[in-house]
mmCIF file of all heavy atoms in Angstrom:
data_model
loop_
_atom_site.group_PDB
_atom_site.id
_atom_site.type_symbol
_atom_site.label_atom_id
_atom_site.label_comp_id
_atom_site.label_asym_id
_atom_site.label_seq_id
_atom_site.Cartn_x
_atom_site.Cartn_y
_atom_site.Cartn_z
ATOM 1 N N ARG A 46 -7.090 0.330 8.138
ATOM 2 C CA ARG A 46 -7.858 -0.274 7.040
ATOM 3 C C ARG A 46 -7.022 -1.321 6.313
ATOM 4 O O ARG A 46 -7.478 -2.435 6.050
ATOM 5 C CB ARG A 46 -8.316 0.806 6.059
ATOM 6 C CG ARG A 46 -9.261 0.289 4.970
ATOM 7 C CD ARG A 46 -9.523 1.331 3.905
ATOM 8 N NE ARG A 46 -8.341 1.585 3.108
ATOM 9 C CZ ARG A 46 -7.881 0.768 2.153
ATOM 10 N NH1 ARG A 46 -8.486 -0.367 1.894
ATOM 11 N NH2 ARG A 46 -6.805 1.090 1.462
ATOM 12 N N GLN A 47 -5.770 -0.982 6.005
ATOM 13 C CA GLN A 47 -4.915 -1.912 5.276
ATOM 14 C C GLN A 47 -4.593 -3.147 6.113
ATOM 15 O O GLN A 47 -4.596 -4.266 5.607
ATOM 16 C CB GLN A 47 -3.623 -1.225 4.839
ATOM 17 C CG GLN A 47 -2.768 -2.090 3.936
ATOM 18 C CD GLN A 47 -3.466 -2.446 2.640
ATOM 19 O OE1 GLN A 47 -3.964 -1.581 1.920
ATOM 20 N NE2 GLN A 47 -3.526 -3.731 2.317
ATOM 21 N N LEU A 48 -4.345 -2.950 7.396
ATOM 22 C CA LEU A 48 -4.048 -4.100 8.254
ATOM 23 C C LEU A 48 -5.260 -5.035 8.365
ATOM 24 O O LEU A 48 -5.096 -6.257 8.423
ATOM 25 C CB LEU A 48 -3.592 -3.633 9.627
ATOM 26 C CG LEU A 48 -2.226 -2.929 9.642
ATOM 27 C CD1 LEU A 48 -1.872 -2.481 11.043
ATOM 28 C CD2 LEU A 48 -1.132 -3.796 9.049
ATOM 29 N N GLU A 49 -6.454 -4.466 8.365
ATOM 30 C CA GLU A 49 -7.659 -5.301 8.374
ATOM 31 C C GLU A 49 -7.761 -6.105 7.085
ATOM 32 O O GLU A 49 -8.100 -7.295 7.114
ATOM 33 C CB GLU A 49 -8.897 -4.440 8.594
ATOM 34 C CG GLU A 49 -8.987 -3.949 10.026
ATOM 35 C CD GLU A 49 -10.131 -2.970 10.272
ATOM 36 O OE1 GLU A 49 -10.903 -2.692 9.333
ATOM 37 O OE2 GLU A 49 -10.230 -2.492 11.410
ATOM 38 N N ILE A 50 -7.453 -5.495 5.950
ATOM 39 C CA ILE A 50 -7.459 -6.201 4.662
ATOM 40 C C ILE A 50 -6.478 -7.370 4.695
ATOM 41 O O ILE A 50 -6.766 -8.460 4.201
ATOM 42 C CB ILE A 50 -7.134 -5.234 3.500
ATOM 43 C CG1 ILE A 50 -8.294 -4.262 3.278
ATOM 44 C CG2 ILE A 50 -6.794 -5.997 2.220
ATOM 45 C CD1 ILE A 50 -7.979 -3.124 2.332
ATOM 46 N N TRP A 51 -5.303 -7.160 5.291
ATOM 47 C CA TRP A 51 -4.274 -8.193 5.357
ATOM 48 C C TRP A 51 -4.521 -9.204 6.478
ATOM 49 O O TRP A 51 -3.730 -10.118 6.671
ATOM 50 C CB TRP A 51 -2.908 -7.563 5.554
ATOM 51 C CG TRP A 51 -2.383 -6.864 4.347
ATOM 52 C CD1 TRP A 51 -2.737 -7.059 3.049
ATOM 53 C CD2 TRP A 51 -1.380 -5.844 4.331
ATOM 54 N NE1 TRP A 51 -2.024 -6.223 2.224
ATOM 55 C CE2 TRP A 51 -1.183 -5.471 2.988
ATOM 56 C CE3 TRP A 51 -0.638 -5.203 5.317
ATOM 57 C CZ2 TRP A 51 -0.267 -4.497 2.606
ATOM 58 C CZ3 TRP A 51 0.278 -4.234 4.937
ATOM 59 C CH2 TRP A 51 0.461 -3.889 3.591
ATOM 60 N N GLY A 52 -5.589 -9.037 7.249
ATOM 61 C CA GLY A 52 -5.874 -9.954 8.335
ATOM 62 C C GLY A 52 -5.086 -9.676 9.603
ATOM 63 O O GLY A 52 -5.023 -10.519 10.495
ATOM 64 N N LEU A 53 -4.498 -8.500 9.698
ATOM 65 C CA LEU A 53 -3.715 -8.133 10.880
ATOM 66 C C LEU A 53 -4.450 -7.154 11.785
ATOM 67 O O LEU A 53 -3.930 -6.759 12.820
ATOM 68 C CB LEU A 53 -2.371 -7.515 10.456
ATOM 69 C CG LEU A 53 -1.429 -8.458 9.703
ATOM 70 C CD1 LEU A 53 -0.251 -7.680 9.131
ATOM 71 C CD2 LEU A 53 -0.965 -9.580 10.598
ATOM 72 N N GLY A 54 -5.659 -6.765 11.414
ATOM 73 C CA GLY A 54 -6.417 -5.797 12.189
ATOM 74 C C GLY A 54 -6.826 -6.309 13.556
ATOM 75 O O GLY A 54 -7.009 -5.536 14.495
ATOM 76 N N GLU A 55 -6.979 -7.624 13.691
ATOM 77 C CA GLU A 55 -7.355 -8.222 14.972
ATOM 78 C C GLU A 55 -6.167 -8.306 15.922
ATOM 79 O O GLU A 55 -6.345 -8.516 17.113
ATOM 80 C CB GLU A 55 -7.942 -9.618 14.750
ATOM 81 C CG GLU A 55 -9.214 -9.608 13.940
ATOM 82 C CD GLU A 55 -10.324 -8.813 14.624
ATOM 83 O OE1 GLU A 55 -10.494 -8.946 15.842
ATOM 84 O OE2 GLU A 55 -11.002 -8.045 13.919
ATOM 85 N N ARG A 56 -4.975 -8.163 15.399
ATOM 86 C CA ARG A 56 -3.763 -8.187 16.225
ATOM 87 C C ARG A 56 -3.541 -6.781 16.762
ATOM 88 O O ARG A 56 -2.808 -5.975 16.192
ATOM 89 C CB ARG A 56 -2.557 -8.609 15.376
ATOM 90 C CG ARG A 56 -2.555 -10.037 14.871
ATOM 91 C CD ARG A 56 -2.055 -11.013 15.920
ATOM 92 N NE ARG A 56 -0.909 -10.543 16.664
ATOM 93 C CZ ARG A 56 0.374 -10.676 16.278
ATOM 94 N NH1 ARG A 56 0.658 -11.273 15.150
ATOM 95 N NH2 ARG A 56 1.337 -10.217 17.033
ATOM 96 N N ASP A 57 -4.202 -6.469 17.889
ATOM 97 C CA ASP A 57 -4.124 -5.119 18.434
ATOM 98 C C ASP A 57 -2.697 -4.686 18.727
ATOM 99 O O ASP A 57 -2.350 -3.522 18.554
ATOM 100 C CB ASP A 57 -4.974 -4.986 19.701
ATOM 101 C CG ASP A 57 -6.461 -4.976 19.403
ATOM 102 O OD1 ASP A 57 -6.834 -4.638 18.257
ATOM 103 O OD2 ASP A 57 -7.230 -5.309 20.306
ATOM 104 N N ASP A 58 -1.846 -5.628 19.160
ATOM 105 C CA ASP A 58 -0.463 -5.258 19.438
ATOM 106 C C ASP A 58 0.227 -4.732 18.178
ATOM 107 O O ASP A 58 0.936 -3.739 18.227
ATOM 108 C CB ASP A 58 0.314 -6.429 20.039
ATOM 109 C CG ASP A 58 0.330 -7.670 19.143
ATOM 110 O OD1 ASP A 58 -0.637 -7.892 18.380
ATOM 111 O OD2 ASP A 58 1.321 -8.430 19.225
ATOM 112 N N VAL A 59 -0.035 -5.350 17.058
ATOM 113 C CA VAL A 59 0.564 -4.915 15.792
ATOM 114 C C VAL A 59 -0.143 -3.668 15.271
ATOM 115 O O VAL A 59 0.501 -2.676 14.929
ATOM 116 C CB VAL A 59 0.508 -6.036 14.733
ATOM 117 C CG1 VAL A 59 0.974 -5.531 13.368
ATOM 118 C CG2 VAL A 59 1.346 -7.232 15.177
ATOM 119 N N ALA A 60 -1.460 -3.711 15.206
ATOM 120 C CA ALA A 60 -2.224 -2.608 14.610
ATOM 121 C C ALA A 60 -2.059 -1.311 15.402
ATOM 122 O O ALA A 60 -1.808 -0.254 14.828
ATOM 123 C CB ALA A 60 -3.696 -2.992 14.497
ATOM 124 N N ASP A 61 -2.187 -1.387 16.724
ATOM 125 C CA ASP A 61 -2.058 -0.188 17.545
ATOM 126 C C ASP A 61 -0.654 0.395 17.456
ATOM 127 O O ASP A 61 -0.470 1.609 17.342
ATOM 128 C CB ASP A 61 -2.399 -0.477 19.010
ATOM 129 C CG ASP A 61 -3.865 -0.807 19.231
ATOM 130 O OD1 ASP A 61 -4.682 -0.573 18.319
ATOM 131 O OD2 ASP A 61 -4.185 -1.306 20.321
ATOM 132 N N THR A 62 0.349 -0.476 17.496
ATOM 133 C CA THR A 62 1.731 -0.002 17.411
ATOM 134 C C THR A 62 2.017 0.585 16.039
ATOM 135 O O THR A 62 2.650 1.640 15.931
ATOM 136 C CB THR A 62 2.719 -1.143 17.735
ATOM 137 O OG1 THR A 62 2.437 -1.642 19.047
ATOM 138 C CG2 THR A 62 4.161 -0.652 17.687
ATOM 139 N N ALA A 63 1.549 -0.066 14.988
ATOM 140 C CA ALA A 63 1.761 0.456 13.630
ATOM 141 C C ALA A 63 1.118 1.827 13.475
ATOM 142 O O ALA A 63 1.728 2.753 12.915
ATOM 143 C CB ALA A 63 1.214 -0.515 12.592
ATOM 144 N N GLU A 64 -0.103 1.984 13.974
ATOM 145 C CA GLU A 64 -0.778 3.287 13.900
ATOM 146 C C GLU A 64 0.025 4.356 14.637
ATOM 147 O O GLU A 64 0.188 5.474 14.134
ATOM 148 C CB GLU A 64 -2.168 3.214 14.513
ATOM 149 C CG GLU A 64 -3.210 2.612 13.627
ATOM 150 C CD GLU A 64 -4.576 2.708 14.257
ATOM 151 O OE1 GLU A 64 -5.074 3.840 14.443
ATOM 152 O OE2 GLU A 64 -5.144 1.647 14.574
ATOM 153 N N LEU A 65 0.496 4.029 15.831
ATOM 154 C CA LEU A 65 1.265 4.987 16.612
ATOM 155 C C LEU A 65 2.550 5.380 15.900
ATOM 156 O O LEU A 65 2.873 6.569 15.791
ATOM 157 C CB LEU A 65 1.586 4.404 17.992
ATOM 158 C CG LEU A 65 2.498 5.266 18.870
ATOM 159 C CD1 LEU A 65 1.856 6.613 19.191
ATOM 160 C CD2 LEU A 65 2.867 4.511 20.142
#
Side-chain angles (χ1 to χ4, degrees):
R46 187 189 69 76
Q47 187 62 52
L48 292 179
E49 287 174 2
I50 290 170
W51 288 338
L53 296 170
E55 297 299 317
R56 293 278 318 274
D57 287 337
D58 58 330
V59 173
D61 292 347
T62 302
E64 281 186 65
L65 175 62

